[in-house]
């Protein structure tokens, strides 16, 4: 019998981290960062990499949003929906732990 995993839901208090099987690595041939997972390679854009780098298990989603808004001189409310949607999608794919 296969156990069904309960879906983790992103909240502002979540402190996301990358699982041990996921890592960010620079590819000099493409001059881009890749996210490596067993048997999969993802090529996220620069902002997605910025989000993933902040997933250290200590910073909350709220802090990540505030930091990104400051770095990109954007309104935190404008940043929040995109960050939450991105983290939820990557959590659903088991590439981010919440």
């Amino acid at each position: 019998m296969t156990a069904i995993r309960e879906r983790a839901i992103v909240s502002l208090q979540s402190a996301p981290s990358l699982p041990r099987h996921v890592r960010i690595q620079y590819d000099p041939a493409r001059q881009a960062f890749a996210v490596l997972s067993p048997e999969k390679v993802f090529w996220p854009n620069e902002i997605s990499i910025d989000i993933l780098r902040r997933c250290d298990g200590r910073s909350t989603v709220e802090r990540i949003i505030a930091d990104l808004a400051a770095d990109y001189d954007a309104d935190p409310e404008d940043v929040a929906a995109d960050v939450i949607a991105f983290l939820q999608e990557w959590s659903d794919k088991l590439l981010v732990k919440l």
Side-chain angles (χ1 to χ4, degrees):
M1 183 173 190
T2 303
I4 297 176
R5 182 179 78 91
E6 187 173 325
R7 182 181 191 219
I9 303 297
V10 176
S11 76
L12 292 177
Q13 286 68 45
S14 299
S17 64
L18 298 182
R20 289 189 311 158
H21 69 274
V22 174
R23 72 179 201 269
I24 300 170
Q25 182 173 313
Y26 185 73
D27 180 343
R30 289 190 184 206
Q31 296 187 346
F33 284 94
V35 175
L36 307 177
S37 178
E39 300 181 25
K40 293 182 183 173
V41 177
F42 301 89
W43 297 98
N45 64 30
E46 180 181 329
I47 295 172
S48 297
I49 290 292
D50 280 352
I51 295 169
L52 292 172
R53 283 194 178 124
R54 289 171 164 82
C55 293
D56 58 11
R58 295 182 307 274
S59 299
T60 63
V61 172
E62 186 172 42
R63 172 87 268 148
I64 292 169
I65 290 167
D67 289 348
L68 286 167
D71 287 354
Y72 288 93
D73 194 26
D75 185 332
E77 289 183 21
D78 293 339
V79 173
D82 290 338
V83 170
I84 290 169
F86 174 81
L87 290 172
Q88 187 64 63
E89 178 184 345
W90 280 58
S91 171
D92 291 346
K93 293 178 182 177
L94 305 179
L95 297 168
V96 169
K97 291 191 309 186
L98 299 176

